[in-house]
């Protein structure tokens, strides 16, 4: 019996060879998901430990199957705390935008001003529980429009409560004063931006219909200048997904380092627009994730790749103290105030308390709170073999099915579908690595990733560039020649601003390169990266340089994703129109689908060609 554990990067971290060791490991994991098979072994994934397990049949049948999510029942671990883990506050219900998909119909509401005595009383009430709490400011209002009250709330909460984090979402249409204060006082800051102005301004206009993007961009640049860490949040509309490459390139050139792309809630104004199907949403998400990964933008995968908390439900319903502008308390932070009963039908079911004006204190219906906290145990998930969404969003359930305990079919299929697709992608790229590779389709050369494709056009440094240039560099170029090529690449990149242009660089030197050649290449690659150019070197560098330069080449390989050996060489093979693999020396192999992974492709090449490596590099 044997099991090997790997981390997310595919590095083997442990060999578990005995029954007791595997049981102890999987007790920590709690549940595992089937992720594929490789060379007769089953691959399972633990979301909680972020580990992959390669199990032989005996290991799975003896221990592993008892932890398989498909058969294990989950229940929320009993919590001893009687208090609340999160608190959110609404100050006015006012918003200066009128987004086409806003679930709370922001920009239409009548503004009301929250009373400080109620906010203060809420903080005093929460302080009685002596437990860590997360402050949350988001929803169908722009919190910075009540900056004075926001400041006062956070300052008082910091004195009275044990704050574990302060989170705020803003639409970015804020003053310089507000921007500076957020940078200094908010732990986790999120700014809504749906990509380039053409998309963003259509989806997130100002309340008066004018563009909001100039304001958002100004806020982002101010935060960058102050060195504030933040995340941009985009909403997965059809328009954004259809222009994913353009949107990501725009964010990259804006200097955005972190982003999240979340599905639409089919509620409120979103019901008036065309909502992507679950399949469109899933594949659109994966195209964005894959492109962002290659383009150097850190995508928050929390909503796609759950953190595996199998002891605490995903939604904070019942543990969240959401104070509305009217002084009522709900278990859902979507609640803004009494006007929600018209905008969000059924939201009153989540109200469990109110401020008693005569007694000047909050009164909580703990029976209702307990009912909400039992959500994960009562939700009717049936035979679902996903479970990590814990029944989904209670309000979406209510909106679609009329019952918070009957899951929304769309939410279920969307959540589990995106997770499983992400898991499949991660396993394929980490442990199989058949892609990216080159395909020939209808006379065209295609750089094929798992979810994205680029049509390539072969050329030389002085040739004409079109589509996505595949540039052959046939000799160690002089600095002057590399400088000219760099200018040409950057010019072509700038002249195609509404898409990601891929440049493949094929290095095939006629002689061994010198150290100065390597330094020139390093400067060349660095200038392309600083210009936000998406490029890939297709061949290993090592065969073209002396072994004494190995450490410098290794740094280049890590920095720019350069192939380390012939097995990783992008030009090792091309998949023909008949799906057969044609190797770099012209030898025709089996069909692409018949190879299990890239290692088996290279092993086939070596075996049938009686060579140690690619003839061009030997």
């Amino acid at each position: 019996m044997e099991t090997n554990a790997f981390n997310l990067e595919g590095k083997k971290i442990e060999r578990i060879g005995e029954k007791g060791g595997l049981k102890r490991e999987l007790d920590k994991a709690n549940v595992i998901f089937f992720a594929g098979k490789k060379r007769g072994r089953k691959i399972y994934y633990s979301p909680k430990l972020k580990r992959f397990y390669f199990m032989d049949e005996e290991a799975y049948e003896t221990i592993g199957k008892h932890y398989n999510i498909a058969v294990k029942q989950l229940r929320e671990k009993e919590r001893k705390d009687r208090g609340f883990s999160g608190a959110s506050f609404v100050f006015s219900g006012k918003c200066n935008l009128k987004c086409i998909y806003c679930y709370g119909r922001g920009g239409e509401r009548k503004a009301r001003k929250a009373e400080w005595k109620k906010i203060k009383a809420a903080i005093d009430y929460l302080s009685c529980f002596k437990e860590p709490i997360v402050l949350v400011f988001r929803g169908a209002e722009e919190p910075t429009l009540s900056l004075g009250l926001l400041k006062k709330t956070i300052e008082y909460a910091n004195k009275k409560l044990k704050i574990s984090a302060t989170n705020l979402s803003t639409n970015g249409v804020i003053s310089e004063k507000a921007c500076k204060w957020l940078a200094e006082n908010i732990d986790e800051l999120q700014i809504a931006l749906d990509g380039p102005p053409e998309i963003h301004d259509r989806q997130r206009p100002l309340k008066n219909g004018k563009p909001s993007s100039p304001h958002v961009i100004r806020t982002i640049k101010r935060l960058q200048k102050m060195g504030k860490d933040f995340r941009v949040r985009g909403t997965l509309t059809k328009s954004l997904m259809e222009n994913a490459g353009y949107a990501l390139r725009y964010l990259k050139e804006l200097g955005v380092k972190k982003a999240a792309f979340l599905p639409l809630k089919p509620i409120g104004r979103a019901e008036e627009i065309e909502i992507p199907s679950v399949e469109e949403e899933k594949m659109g998400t994966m195209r964005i994730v894959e492109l962002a990964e290659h383009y150097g933008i850190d995508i928050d995968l929390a909503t796609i790749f759950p953190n595996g908390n199998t002891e605490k439900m995903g939604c904070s319903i019942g543990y969240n103290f959401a104070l509305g502008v009217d002084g009522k308390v709900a278990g859902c932070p979507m609640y803004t105030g009494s006007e929600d009963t018209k905008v969000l039908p059924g939201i009153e079911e989540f109200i469990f308390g109110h401020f008693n004006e005569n007694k000047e204190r909050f009164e909580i219906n703990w029976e209702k709170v307990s009912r909400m906290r039992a959500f994960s145990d009562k939700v009717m998930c049936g035979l679902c073999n996903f479970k990590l969404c814990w029944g989904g969003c209670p309000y979406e359930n209510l909106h679609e099915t009329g019952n918070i305990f009957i899951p929304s079919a769309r939410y279920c299929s969307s959540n589990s579908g995106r997770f499983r697709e992400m898991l499949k992608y991660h396993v394929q790229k980490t442990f199989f690595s058949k892609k990216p590779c080159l395909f020939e389709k209808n006379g065209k050369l295609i750089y094929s990733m798992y979810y994205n494709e680029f049509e390539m056009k072969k050329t030389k440094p002085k040739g004409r560039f079109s589509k996505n240039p595949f540039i052959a560099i046939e000799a160690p170029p002089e600095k002057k020649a590399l400088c000219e090529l760099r200018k040409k690449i950057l010019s072509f990149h700038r002249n195609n601003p509404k898409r990601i242009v891929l440049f493949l660089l094929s290095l095939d030197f006629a002689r061994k390169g010198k150290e100065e050649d390597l330094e020139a290449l390093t400067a060349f690659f660095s200038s392309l990266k600083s210009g936000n150019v998406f490029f890939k070197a297709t061949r290993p560098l090592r065969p073209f340089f002396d072994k004494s330069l190995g450490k410098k080449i290794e740094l280049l390989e890590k920095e720019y994703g350069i192939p380390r050996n012939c097995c990783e060489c992008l030009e090792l093979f091309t998949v023909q129109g008949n799906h057969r693999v044609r190797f770099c020396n012209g030898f025709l192999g089996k069909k692409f689908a018949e190879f299990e992974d890239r290692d088996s492709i290279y092993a086939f090449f070596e075996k049938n060609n009686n060579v140690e490596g690619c003839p061009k590099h030997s």
Side-chain angles (χ1 to χ4, degrees):
M1 187 180 84
E2 183 177 307
T3 298
N4 291 316
F6 295 81
N7 63 16
L8 287 177
E9 288 71 45
K11 182 180 179 181
K12 185 176 176 180
I13 52 178
E14 189 177 359
R15 178 185 175 276
I16 308 170
E18 46 94 17
K19 187 187 295 186
L22 181 57
K23 187 177 186 307
R24 285 191 295 274
E25 174 77 9
L26 297 186
D27 278 343
K28 296 176 190 174
N30 199 352
V31 293
I32 53 178
F33 284 82
F34 178 69
K37 289 182 180 179
K38 185 172 182 180
R39 301 200 175 106
R41 294 196 171 205
K42 292 181 177 179
I43 307 173
Y44 283 87
Y45 174 66
S46 162
K48 187 175 183 181
L49 300 182
K50 302 283 191 292
R51 287 186 173 188
F52 288 95
Y53 300 99
F54 281 59
M55 297 184 189
D56 61 21
E57 194 65 29
E58 183 185 358
Y60 177 73
E61 288 297 327
T62 307
I63 302 293
K65 69 179 182 181
H66 301 295
Y67 297 85
N68 189 342
I69 190 71
V71 298
K72 186 167 181 175
Q73 292 298 311
L74 295 184
R75 285 291 180 265
E76 186 183 10
K77 187 177 181 180
E78 185 178 352
R79 292 172 61 168
K80 295 179 181 179
D81 57 306
R82 187 173 179 266
F84 299 89
S85 57
S88 58
F89 301 87
V90 177
F91 302 122
S92 68
K94 183 180 178 182
C95 190
N96 46 6
L97 265 62
K98 197 172 180 180
C99 304
I100 64 171
Y101 47 65
C102 180
Y103 65 80
R105 307 192 79 90
E108 293 179 21
R109 294 167 175 267
K110 294 178 182 177
R112 294 179 58 184
K113 187 176 181 180
E115 296 180 59
W116 167 245
K117 71 173 184 178
K118 294 178 182 178
I119 296 172
K120 181 179 180 295
I123 294 170
D124 289 337
Y125 177 77
L126 291 168
S127 69
C128 298
F129 298 104
K130 311 291 184 184
E131 291 162 5
I133 198 165
V134 177
L135 293 185
V136 179
F137 302 91
R138 63 180 175 86
E141 74 162 4
E142 172 50 48
T144 63
L145 292 178
S146 305
L147 186 60
L149 208 47
L150 173 63
K151 286 181 179 181
K152 199 172 181 180
T153 299
I154 292 179
E155 286 169 5
Y156 189 68
N158 280 325
K159 291 177 184 175
K160 299 285 289 186
L161 304 176
K162 191 187 292 184
I163 307 296
S164 55
T166 303
N167 304 346
L168 184 142
S169 293
T170 174
N171 59 32
V173 184
I174 62 178
S175 67
E176 184 175 1
K177 179 182 177 182
C179 184
K180 186 175 185 297
W181 189 86
L182 293 180
E184 294 171 352
N185 294 277
I186 301 300
D187 300 317
E188 297 177 15
L189 181 61
Q190 178 173 269
I191 303 171
L193 178 62
D194 284 352
E198 303 96 296
I199 299 172
H200 178 89
D201 290 332
R202 187 168 61 249
Q203 298 184 171
R204 301 182 61 83
L206 293 174
K207 188 177 177 180
N208 61 12
K210 291 182 178 180
S212 66
S213 61
H215 305 275
V216 182
I217 293 165
R218 184 168 59 242
T219 294
I220 286 174
K221 289 182 176 179
R222 282 171 176 164
L223 290 169
Q224 290 169 337
K225 191 174 181 180
M226 288 184 277
K228 174 63 178 175
D229 186 45
F230 65 91
R231 180 180 76 172
V232 158
R233 185 239 202 246
T235 300
L236 292 170
T237 59
K238 281 200 168 191
S239 180
L240 179 61
M241 291 189 291
E242 287 167 359
N243 295 278
Y246 179 26
L248 286 170
R249 173 171 172 172
Y250 181 79
L251 294 182
K252 178 75 172 178
E253 293 180 350
L254 190 58
V256 170
K257 295 178 180 179
K258 296 179 181 178
F261 294 90
L262 304 179
L264 279 168
K265 283 185 178 291
I267 301 168
R269 238 183 253 129
E271 293 181 291
E272 300 167 9
I273 65 172
E274 186 179 6
I275 297 175
S277 68
V278 169
E279 183 66 17
E280 287 173 332
E281 187 181 272
K282 178 181 76 175
M283 300 312 289
T285 300
M286 294 313 302
R287 282 192 292 273
I288 289 171
V289 167
E290 184 178 48
L291 280 175
E293 190 174 84
H294 286 265
Y295 208 43
I297 296 176
D298 183 12
I299 296 291
D300 183 353
L301 299 177
T303 58
I304 309 168
F305 224 16
N307 62 14
N309 194 333
T310 52
E311 298 176 345
K312 180 183 175 185
M313 64 183 182
C315 177
S316 61
I317 183 174
Y319 292 102
N320 190 74
F321 188 100
L323 180 63
V325 72
D326 56 358
K328 291 181 180 178
V329 185
C332 175
M334 287 173 64
Y335 182 73
T336 303
S338 53
E339 194 177 348
D340 282 345
T341 56
K342 300 174 184 176
V343 179
L344 301 169
I347 193 71
E348 59 271 16
E349 189 168 336
F350 297 86
I351 297 172
F352 59 69
H354 71 282
F355 182 75
N356 187 314
E357 294 280 0
N358 295 324
K359 297 179 181 179
E360 293 196 341
R361 63 179 175 82
F362 280 92
E363 294 180 349
I364 303 298
N365 182 339
W366 282 101
E367 185 178 340
K368 203 167 184 181
V369 171
S370 297
R371 181 172 179 267
M372 291 183 193
R373 292 184 178 184
F375 172 74
S376 61
D377 287 335
K378 292 182 178 179
V379 70
M380 302 172 191
C381 290
L383 300 176
C384 173
N385 61 0
F386 176 59
K387 300 182 179 70
L388 287 190
C389 67
W390 288 99
C393 169
Y395 184 76
E396 283 192 43
N397 295 350
L398 180 68
H399 185 74
E400 184 178 314
T401 70
N403 188 327
I404 68 170
F405 299 115
I406 300 177
S408 154
R410 178 183 173 88
Y411 190 99
C412 284
S413 55
S414 173
N415 246 26
S416 61
R418 283 181 296 132
F419 170 81
R420 293 189 186 284
E421 195 66 34
M422 186 68 199
L423 185 57
K424 177 178 132 184
Y425 166 62
H426 204 90
V427 168
Q428 285 295 321
K429 70 172 182 143
T430 306
F431 299 109
F432 292 84
S433 308
K434 288 173 71 176
K435 289 187 175 184
C437 65
L438 298 172
F439 271 71
E440 285 186 3
K441 295 181 179 179
N442 302 317
K444 298 176 182 178
L445 183 63
I446 307 295
Y447 176 84
S448 178
M449 300 161 75
Y450 290 98
Y451 301 95
N452 296 276
E453 291 186 340
F454 293 83
E455 182 184 343
M456 308 306 303
K457 284 291 183 181
K458 287 190 173 183
T459 185
K460 292 188 177 181
K462 293 185 178 181
R464 179 177 174 271
F465 287 1
S466 64
K467 301 287 185 182
N468 298 281
F470 190 161
I471 307 167
I473 304 173
E474 297 176 344
E478 298 177 355
K479 285 185 180 180
K480 184 179 178 181
L482 278 180
C483 184
E484 290 175 357
L485 178 58
R486 175 184 64 83
K487 289 179 180 177
K488 191 173 179 180
I489 288 174
L490 289 172
S491 175
F492 190 77
H493 170 77
R494 284 192 296 267
N495 290 334
N496 290 271
K498 294 191 175 183
R499 66 184 179 97
I500 291 180
V501 181
L502 170 63
F503 295 86
L504 293 183
L505 307 175
S506 177
L507 304 174
D508 189 13
F509 298 172
R511 62 166 176 83
K512 284 280 186 181
K514 299 176 182 178
E515 187 168 3
E516 52 263 37
D517 296 321
L518 187 61
E519 289 173 356
L521 273 178
T522 302
F524 173 64
F525 291 147
S526 176
S527 65
L528 294 184
K529 184 177 181 180
S530 63
N532 297 313
V533 174
F534 183 29
F535 69 96
K536 295 285 180 185
T538 61
R539 295 182 176 185
L541 282 178
R542 291 178 184 271
F544 302 123
F545 291 92
D546 191 86
K547 289 183 179 179
S548 62
L549 298 172
K551 288 187 177 180
K552 290 185 176 181
I553 290 174
E554 186 178 350
L555 291 174
L556 279 182
E557 290 168 346
K558 288 180 180 178
E559 179 72 18
Y560 303 109
I562 297 170
R564 295 169 297 176
N565 49 52
C566 289
C567 180
E568 294 181 1
C569 177
L570 185 64
E571 296 182 59
L572 173 66
F573 66 89
T574 302
V575 182
Q576 306 293 290
N578 59 5
H579 305 295
R580 292 185 70 182
V581 170
R582 183 179 293 278
F583 290 97
C584 56
N585 63 353
F587 182 79
L588 198 61
K590 300 185 295 184
K591 287 189 175 182
F592 185 65
E594 294 175 15
F595 290 103
E596 186 175 42
D597 57 13
R598 195 172 192 90
D599 287 340
S600 63
I601 294 174
Y602 185 67
F604 182 92
F605 173 69
E606 283 190 304
K607 180 180 178 181
N608 289 277
N609 287 272
N610 194 30
V611 293
E612 293 183 357
C614 176
K616 294 182 180 181
H617 295 163
S618 59

